[in-house]
């Protein structure tokens, strides 16, 4: 057996024969021409043909990946009609007397480089769209139609150096068991499409895929592993894994696009907890209604220097752009004790979980606090973001934080930098102190998020990371539940929404209880969203109140 690792792109398991898509870099003909008019006519005809192909692809994509995602093909049509691209090709044909194929190659190379060098992650990945489109034009010009290229009539694991959206959509869904490529990023359109279509996929494998053509394999899209010529035992193991996963997926799929409402009609927010830029796309793929908890630590942890304002801004902007009109609640830096960061200069603490964490660390490091706030406010001009303060234990902390936030807003205004003045500020209630005084705190902020991991740790005085104390870290301890209930009541008295996050938020045994306490939203890891929706939709709040 051979085993190849790569990046997991789309969940699920595929078992079957590998089919390598031979898509070698074409030898694009390059020659001089005399009749430039004729050559221009060839180009225009190819553009028209590709335009029509895209219309067909767009219709097909609407069925398989939904209207919104099918918009990629409209974007491709827009690019086809773009004057700068056309003028670039025209110049090569008319002024340099070069053939059409060469003009297309040069034009798309030029625009590929522009996109590939853009700072914005999202726009940079659109460089793939340029390649997809130029392949289509070249296929037409070199009279290689799609039907010739894609000749798959039985279910296979597709292997290729790289795949583009139109490649994936040109196969019949039932004939693609899985996809493995050498090149591809998690957020590329092709990857998004394979997730939406539920095709197990992996990428960035170093395997020489061409040599694996026709071999039997298992593709593990959860871990990003390809097993070639697997032994019987492994095969049996994966067959049952695949069956279980598919049953589970079918159950979850039945929840997609349904509103998150209780049986008696209360709308509940179902948000995602994420800790990376890619996480936003995973949240969207899993039907999240927003980001309830973006752990911003990922930008700070494990590095020698502080992330600049620009770097932070770009990350927040990329996430909120992916989320579109949906809210992204950014939790301010709350470095965990184990994530030592030399640039903070914190002296050795005997009890770091009770030490310089969250709001305390930020208030003591005003320049870092201001830098993060500036980045978030700047991102607020590009999406719907809000700010959440971690580890609050007193009124003065919230007051000081809000004062600094105001200074940052004033500064941005003076500098003429756009931000959304209605950006909300909320708090995490994750210390018992914050829960007990939540009536006062609730009057000072726009929302409350209950962090059940820390709330449990601090209420029970049990280190959440100490495995020896596992029996003392009692999930849903009565004391914690009382604090949660109290916080929800106080938030509602102050007429602000309150959500649950941390591990208890996804504990289905507690969903009904939290809803009956009055929780307005839940923030859970993306893979739990649809399960939670199914759970929430079963609850009837009109039934007898929970104690
Ligand atoms: C929590 O404490 O419950 C929480 C959501 O924050 P973290 O787990 O990041 O401390
Ligand atoms: Mg916490």
């Amino acid at each position: 057996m051979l085993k190849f690792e790569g990046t997991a792109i789309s969940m699920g398991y595929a078992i079957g024969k590998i089919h390598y898509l031979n898509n070698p870099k074409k030898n694009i003909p390059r020659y001089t021409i005399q009749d430039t008019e004729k050559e221009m006519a060839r180009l225009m005809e190819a553009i028209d043909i590709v335009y029509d192909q895209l219309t067909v692809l767009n219709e097909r994509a609407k069925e398989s990946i939904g209207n919104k995602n099918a918009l990629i093909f409209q974007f491709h049509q827009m690019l086809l009609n773009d004057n700068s691209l056309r003028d670039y090709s025209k110049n090569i044909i008319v002024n340099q007397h070069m053939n059409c194929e060469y003009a297309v190659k040069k034009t798309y190379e030029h625009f590929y480089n522009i996109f590939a060098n853009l700072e914005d992650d999202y726009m940079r990945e659109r460089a793939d769209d340029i390649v997809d489109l130029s392949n289509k034009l070249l296929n037409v010009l070199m009279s290689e139609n799609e039907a010739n290229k894609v000749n798959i009539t039985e279910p296979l694991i597709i292997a290729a150096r790289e795949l583009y959206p139109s490649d994936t959509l040109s196969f019949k869904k039932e004939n693609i068991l899985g996809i493995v490529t050498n090149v591809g990023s998690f957020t590329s359109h092709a990857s998004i499409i394979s997730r939406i279509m539920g095709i197990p996929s992996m990428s960035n494998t170093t395997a020489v895929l061409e040599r694996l053509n026709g071999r039997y394999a298992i593709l593990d899209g959860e871990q990003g592993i390809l097993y070639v010529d697997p032994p019987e035992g492994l095969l049996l193991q994966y067959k049952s894994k695949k069956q279980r996963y598919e049953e589970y997926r079918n159950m979850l799929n039945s929840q997609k696009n349904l509103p998150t409402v209780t049986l008696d009609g209360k709308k509940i927010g179902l948000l995602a907890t994420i800790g990376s830029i890619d996480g936003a796309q995973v949240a969207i793929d899993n039907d999240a209604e927003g980001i309830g908890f973006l752990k911003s630590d990922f930008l700070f942890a494990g590095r020698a220097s502080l992330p600049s304002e620009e770097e932070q801004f770009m990350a927040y902007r990329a996430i909120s752009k992916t989320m579109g009109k949906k809210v992204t609640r950014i939790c301010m830096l709350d470095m965990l004790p184990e994530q030592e960061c030399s640039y903070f200069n914190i002296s050795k603490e005997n009890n770091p979980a009770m030490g310089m964490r969250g709001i305390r660390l930020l208030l003591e490091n005003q320049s870092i606090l201001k830098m993060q706030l500036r980045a978030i406010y700047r991102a607020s001009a590009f999406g719907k973001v809000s700010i959440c303060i971690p580890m609050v234990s007193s009124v003065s902390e919230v007051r000081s934080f809000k004062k600094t936030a105001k200074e940052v807003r004033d500064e941005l205004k003076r500098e003429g930098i756009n931000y959304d003045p209605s950006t909300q500020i909320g708090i995490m209630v994750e210390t018992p102190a914050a829960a007990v005084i939540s009536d006062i705190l609730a009057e000072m902020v726009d929302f409350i998020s209950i962090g059940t991991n820390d709330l449990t740790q601090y209420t029970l005085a049990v280190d959440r990371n100490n495995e020896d104390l596992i029996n003392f870290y009692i999930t849903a301890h009565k004391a914690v539940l009382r604090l949660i209930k109290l916080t929800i009541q106080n938030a509602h008295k102050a007429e602000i929404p309150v959500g649950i996050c941390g591990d208890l938020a996804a504990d289905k045994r507690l969903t009904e209880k939290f809803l009956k306490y009055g929780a307005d939203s839940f923030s859970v890891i993306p893979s739990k969203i649809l399960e939670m929706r199914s759970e929430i939709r079963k609850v009837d709040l009109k039934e007898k109140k929970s104690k």
Side-chain angles (χ1 to χ4, degrees):
M1 179 182 74
L2 297 171
K3 179 179 173 188
F4 300 99
E5 296 193 0
T7 308
I9 296 286
S10 172
M11 263 297 285
Y13 312 95
I15 301 173
K17 248 204 276 175
I18 295 178
H19 177 85
Y20 182 72
L21 275 189
N22 206 354
N23 200 4
K25 270 220 169 327
K26 295 186 179 77
N27 281 330
I28 311 296
R30 177 181 194 270
Y31 52 89
T32 49
I33 44 116
Q34 296 309 320
D35 191 345
T36 56
E37 238 171 68
K38 189 172 143 214
E39 206 61 12
M40 275 305 292
R42 276 187 70 213
L43 175 66
M44 298 321 281
E45 194 192 352
I47 289 179
D48 285 347
I49 293 174
V50 172
Y51 195 92
D52 291 346
Q53 285 177 352
L54 288 167
T55 307
V56 175
L57 217 45
N58 184 30
E59 286 310 309
R60 195 184 303 169
K62 277 186 193 164
E63 276 169 34
S64 46
I65 57 175
N67 286 357
K68 187 165 161 257
N69 293 292
L71 287 177
I72 328 165
F73 298 109
Q74 285 176 32
F75 174 61
H76 286 191
Q77 285 180 319
M78 229 170 67
L79 284 175
L80 265 188
N81 282 335
D82 187 274
N83 279 337
S84 25
L85 271 94
R86 286 187 177 205
D87 290 349
Y88 201 92
S89 298
K90 188 174 170 190
N91 175 45
I92 297 174
I93 295 171
V94 175
N95 299 329
Q96 299 173 30
H97 290 262
M98 295 306 296
N99 64 313
C100 210
E101 293 84 348
Y102 178 74
V104 167
K105 174 178 177 263
K106 281 290 171 203
T107 304
Y108 281 83
E109 270 175 11
H110 173 77
F111 285 94
Y112 175 87
N113 287 331
I114 294 181
F115 275 84
N117 287 311
L118 289 175
E119 283 190 344
D120 186 300
D121 286 340
Y122 178 81
M123 289 312 286
R124 201 166 48 236
E125 279 176 359
R126 299 297 67 83
D128 280 353
D129 293 304
I130 301 273
V131 181
D132 196 359
L133 198 51
S134 79
N135 284 344
K136 289 187 118 15
L137 275 172
L138 289 167
N139 281 342
V140 170
L141 286 167
M142 295 162 79
S143 50
E144 205 185 279
N145 71 34
E146 298 288 297
N148 287 343
K149 203 181 93 188
V150 181
N151 190 15
I152 291 174
T153 51
E154 56 175 320
L156 294 162
I157 296 175
I158 308 295
R161 203 189 102 73
E162 192 164 10
L163 271 194
Y164 295 98
S166 34
D167 295 326
T168 312
L169 285 163
S170 49
F171 304 118
K172 280 203 178 109
K173 160 103 171 53
E174 58 271 26
N175 284 342
I176 326 180
L177 296 174
I179 294 175
V180 50
T181 59
N182 294 117
V183 181
S185 75
F186 189 82
T187 45
S188 71
H189 269 142
S191 300
I192 295 171
I193 286 174
S194 56
R195 286 196 292 277
I196 293 171
M197 291 173 76
I199 303 170
S201 317
M202 63 180 279
S203 181
N204 295 322
T205 171
T206 51
V208 183
L209 295 171
E210 195 166 0
R211 285 209 209 124
L212 303 178
N213 195 30
R215 308 261 293 264
Y216 203 70
I218 298 171
L219 189 157
D220 181 335
E222 184 190 5
Q223 300 191 65
I225 302 178
L226 183 73
Y227 300 94
V228 181
D229 301 331
E232 195 56 32
L234 190 68
L235 208 52
L236 283 177
Q237 205 181 313
Y238 267 95
K239 276 186 181 159
S240 69
K241 232 180 183 179
K242 182 169 182 292
Q243 192 186 344
R244 264 180 284 134
Y245 177 73
E246 280 167 2
E247 283 165 9
Y248 170 74
R249 231 19 263 172
N250 288 341
M251 185 284 282
L252 293 188
N253 277 338
S254 68
Q255 298 298 313
K256 271 213 160 163
N257 301 321
L258 291 178
T260 312
V261 281
T262 58
L263 272 182
D264 54 308
K266 180 177 175 191
K267 173 82 192 81
I268 303 296
L270 191 45
L271 312 168
T273 291
I274 61 166
S276 70
I277 297 177
D278 286 349
Q281 188 56 52
V282 186
I284 293 284
D285 293 350
N286 283 281
D287 229 8
E289 295 160 11
I291 302 294
F293 186 64
L294 167 64
K295 243 177 121 46
S296 61
D297 313 8
F298 77 94
L299 288 164
F300 295 80
R303 48 189 291 164
S305 60
L306 198 62
S308 65
E309 175 186 321
E310 205 56 26
E311 184 180 341
Q312 293 187 54
F313 160 66
M314 303 246 275
Y316 304 141
R317 187 183 60 173
I319 292 170
S320 58
K321 267 190 166 178
T322 303
M323 296 311 295
K325 293 200 173 87
K326 299 174 173 174
V327 72
T328 300
R329 278 187 187 163
I330 304 174
C331 186
M332 298 295 295
L333 175 65
D334 180 19
M335 199 69 80
L336 291 177
E338 63 270 21
Q339 299 169 316
E340 279 173 27
C341 276
S342 49
Y343 49 83
F344 271 123
N345 228 343
I346 305 170
S347 47
K348 182 116 191 75
E349 296 178 308
N350 284 334
N351 202 348
M354 301 217 179
M356 265 303 170
R357 268 192 71 179
I359 180 70
R360 304 171 191 169
L361 184 65
L362 291 169
L363 290 177
E364 290 293 309
N365 291 273
Q366 282 286 319
S367 60
I368 294 175
L369 169 58
K370 280 194 168 170
M371 195 195 276
Q372 189 175 20
L373 280 171
R374 279 181 66 97
I376 298 176
Y377 275 119
R378 284 174 57 195
S380 73
F382 297 87
K384 203 172 159 200
V385 306
S386 58
I387 300 168
C388 196
I389 321 173
M391 287 296 296
V392 168
S393 57
S394 72
V395 169
S396 65
E397 288 164 349
V398 178
R399 201 177 292 127
S400 306
F401 182 91
K402 287 180 71 180
K403 182 168 168 279
T404 307
K406 163 116 185 31
E407 282 166 22
V408 166
R409 290 195 301 271
D410 291 346
E411 210 173 271
L412 291 172
K413 204 181 287 170
R414 274 198 306 278
E415 293 169 22
I417 295 175
N418 281 343
Y419 68 91
D420 177 1
S422 67
T423 302
Q424 294 197 333
I425 297 181
I427 52 163
M428 296 291 295
V429 165
E430 47 190 351
T431 65
V436 172
I437 59 165
S438 53
D439 53 336
I440 311 170
L441 295 172
E443 296 290 346
M444 305 172 74
V445 292
D446 299 310
F447 63 89
I448 284 180
S449 214
I450 303 176
T452 54
N453 300 339
D454 278 322
L455 190 59
T456 304
Q457 147 162 281
Y458 295 119
T459 305
L460 306 183
V462 174
D463 179 351
R464 64 193 253 196
N465 295 321
N466 185 340
E467 301 216 337
D468 295 340
L469 295 177
I470 203 117
N471 292 334
F472 298 95
Y473 188 92
I474 299 165
T475 308
H477 190 291
K478 241 191 175 47
V480 177
L481 292 180
R482 282 188 188 176
L483 290 175
I484 293 174
K485 190 173 182 182
L486 173 71
T487 305
I488 294 175
Q489 285 168 346
N490 282 333
H492 286 172
K493 267 188 220 146
E495 296 182 353
I496 60 166
V498 55
I500 314 268
C501 60
D503 291 348
L504 296 193
D507 187 333
K508 291 188 286 182
R509 293 166 301 182
L510 298 168
T511 310
E512 180 168 2
K513 191 179 277 296
F514 289 155
L515 285 170
K516 289 192 168 168
Y517 286 172
D520 300 300
S521 66
F522 293 83
S523 187
V524 298
I525 54 170
S527 59
K528 295 279 181 188
I529 297 261
L530 293 171
E531 259 180 63
M532 280 297 290
R533 177 169 297 150
S534 145
E535 209 55 35
I536 291 168
R537 288 174 58 87
K538 288 184 213 153
V539 174
D540 186 353
L541 294 171
K542 295 261 165 66
E543 270 177 14
K544 216 165 89 303
K545 286 257 181 220
S546 173
K547 285 195 197 106

